[in-house]
Amino acid sequence: MSPSASSAPLHLAVALDGAGWHPAAWREPVARPRDLFTAGYWADLVTEAERGLLDFVTIEDGLGLQSSHFTTPDDRTDQVRGRLDAVLIASRIAPLTRHIGLVPTAVVTHTEPFHLSKAIATLDYVSGGRAGVRVQVSAAQHVAAHFGRRSFPRLTREELRSPAGQEKVVEYFDEAADYVEVLRRLWDSWEDDAEIRDAATGRFVDRDKLHYIDFEGRHFNVKGPSITPRPPQGQPVVSALGHSTVPYGLIAKSSDVGYVTPHDTGQARAVVDEIRAAQSAAGRADELLHVFGDLVVLLDDDRATAEARRARLDDLAGAPYRGDARIFTGTAAELADLLQELASAGLTGFRLRPAVADHDLPAITRGLVPELQRRGAFRTAYEADTLRGLLGLARPANRYAAANTA
């Protein structure tokens, strides 16, 4: 189910990654490479995003160093390498913000769902109900070597597209779907009123309202319950990025928000139709599932200036920047035109990737947002205090409490 593109305002998020999504972003005069590993740097970015009334920010993360190669490390020293932990950044920033959603990235291929469930539940408490998570699959051989629990074949993009490669992809994303199911069950393993906190009687918790989840699957066997009470949102927002049919299935089956990378309106319509069909097949036709388009953006007061900046960045990087998402270079008004055109294909929102964080994020909040507001296409004030509320997602009933009263 999706809001009508013609009647519903757009949702906007930004994806934060180091100094920005262009590999030479850290070399721009406005960038702050010495501050990348400080709490203040991330607080500044998220505060700016909240100034623009954005729905949420995502924070990139990984289990291996950034690389210019698809599944293998590189030895480059002219690009940003190294990260802070995204969940910990979000928890540090949460008390400094009031409305914006905080969605760290978490790799689910090598980590345990029990650990992530309590980390995101904690983030939801720290933020007062503004937590989400972007689940990410990683099949890189060198990442698996950090953990030593299983091995992964080294696959090129072409090999991944082969029948044998696609079998592996299906396996990895089936595991991710199981992971999300465990997260959701653990978040529900405490009923909302499980905590009594009655000092007079000496009863802090009603043990009958804590539930074993007893999940048994191919990839995980998790007993539960969680050690963290049910999060304020009931279920923090789960999101995932997809580029093809298999990850679209994870979005359709397991996510509240999916990110996709169409390069034109026709492709956007085809992707949205595929996800909606998979959503219906998964029995979720009546649930609200957002599909956001991802774009890398370089915004300036005129297109020539933006194009010159892009060319300068490409020269510094030694090659033209190409990523998975469309790269937009131009003005805020031109970007607003494009977003509205793409929304007509069924996208309910957009996750914008600032090419240079300290340049293009303020251009989004102080240029694009006012332009969309003038068109009546974006909020003029925060209308909810939780991330689910901002996205129009209802607070879900607890599955175990519902079973008890059935």
Side-chain angles (χ1 to χ4, degrees):
M1 183 177 71
S2 65
S4 166
S6 61
S7 63
L10 296 177
H11 293 279
L12 284 181
V14 290
L16 302 178
D17 186 13
W21 284 80
H22 195 289
W26 70 278
R27 299 176 69 179
E28 281 286 89
V30 73
R32 294 177 285 160
R34 294 184 181 276
D35 297 336
L36 289 181
F37 304 117
T38 66
Y41 174 79
W42 294 94
D44 288 346
L45 294 183
V46 179
T47 300
E48 181 63 37
E50 187 170 66
R51 180 186 184 278
L53 306 177
L54 303 187
D55 291 73
F56 59 90
V57 299
T58 62
I59 303 170
E60 293 299 299
D61 206 346
L63 297 176
L65 287 176
Q66 301 95 316
S67 176
S68 56
H69 304 319
F70 177 51
T71 59
T72 57
D74 64 19
D75 297 319
R76 297 189 70 150
T77 59
D78 62 334
Q79 298 177 3
V80 171
R81 295 293 181 263
R83 302 183 189 274
L84 299 180
D85 182 273
V87 174
L88 294 180
I89 291 172
S91 292
R92 174 65 180 84
I93 291 166
L96 307 178
T97 55
R98 294 182 56 195
H99 301 287
I100 196 165
L102 303 168
V103 182
T105 296
V107 176
V108 299
T109 311
H110 303 287
T111 58
E112 293 294 334
F114 190 91
H115 296 152
L116 184 62
S117 74
K118 67 186 182 71
I120 300 301
T122 300
L123 176 60
D124 210 39
Y125 276 102
V126 172
S127 65
R130 295 181 284 124
V133 63
R134 180 173 86 86
V135 296
Q136 183 179 51
V137 170
S138 173
Q141 191 178 61
H142 68 287
V143 170
H146 293 323
F147 298 87
R149 293 188 295 195
R150 52 180 172 163
S151 60
F152 283 75
R154 180 169 291 178
L155 297 172
T156 64
R157 290 182 189 272
E158 291 71 25
E159 289 169 335
L160 279 174
R161 296 189 186 103
S162 70
Q166 283 299 292
E167 285 184 15
K168 286 292 185 183
V169 172
V170 169
E171 177 185 337
Y172 302 149
F173 278 88
D174 282 348
E175 178 181 21
D178 276 2
Y179 194 112
V180 173
E181 178 63 19
V182 175
L183 289 181
R184 293 194 183 280
R185 292 192 192 189
L186 286 168
W187 289 332
D188 275 353
S189 64
W190 289 55
E191 295 185 33
D192 289 317
D193 56 351
E195 299 158 84
I196 301 170
R197 303 177 184 178
D198 189 341
T201 63
R203 295 186 71 208
F204 186 86
V205 66
D206 184 343
R207 191 60 183 80
D208 291 335
K209 294 188 177 182
L210 273 62
H211 301 278
Y212 296 115
I213 70 168
D214 291 324
F215 181 90
E216 295 184 8
R218 177 183 173 190
H219 306 284
F220 305 103
N221 292 308
V222 181
K223 183 73 174 176
S226 176
I227 65 166
T228 306
R230 194 175 194 229
Q233 293 183 102
Q235 294 275 323
V237 172
V238 176
S239 64
L241 171 65
H243 300 101
S244 60
T245 295
V246 174
Y248 293 160
L250 176 67
I251 290 170
K253 177 182 178 181
S254 303
S255 302
D256 302 300
V257 180
Y259 315 111
V260 298
T261 55
H263 285 250
D264 56 48
T265 306
Q267 191 179 34
R269 184 172 291 106
V271 169
V272 170
D273 288 347
E274 183 173 355
I275 290 175
R276 295 300 176 205
Q279 178 187 0
S280 181
R284 300 183 66 202
D286 295 331
E287 296 182 32
L288 176 57
L289 168 62
H290 284 289
V291 183
F292 280 26
D294 269 24
L295 296 94
V296 177
V297 297
L298 295 99
L299 292 175
D300 283 287
D301 291 336
D302 60 81
R303 181 182 293 185
T305 302
E307 290 175 345
R309 184 161 61 93
R310 179 177 176 179
R312 183 176 70 252
L313 287 165
D314 286 347
D315 286 343
L316 289 170
Y321 170 58
R322 294 184 178 89
D324 57 322
R326 176 172 176 170
I327 303 172
F328 173 86
T329 307
T331 68
E334 291 169 336
L335 179 56
D337 289 340
L338 175 61
L339 298 187
Q340 291 188 298
E341 177 188 334
L342 290 170
S344 71
L347 296 172
T348 57
F350 296 91
R351 187 175 69 141
L352 305 178
R353 307 178 186 180
V356 178
D358 281 309
H359 179 113
D360 295 298
L361 176 57
I364 290 167
T365 58
R366 306 179 193 195
L368 175 65
V369 166
E371 178 65 30
L372 290 171
Q373 289 170 333
R374 282 192 289 272
R375 303 180 186 202
F378 193 64
R379 67 170 62 90
T380 56
Y382 278 112
E383 65 274 6
D385 294 324
T386 69
L387 179 53
R388 294 188 72 90
L390 291 176
L391 294 172
L393 297 165
R395 188 178 190 276
N398 185 303
R399 72 191 69 196
Y400 300 110
N404 279 350
T405 58

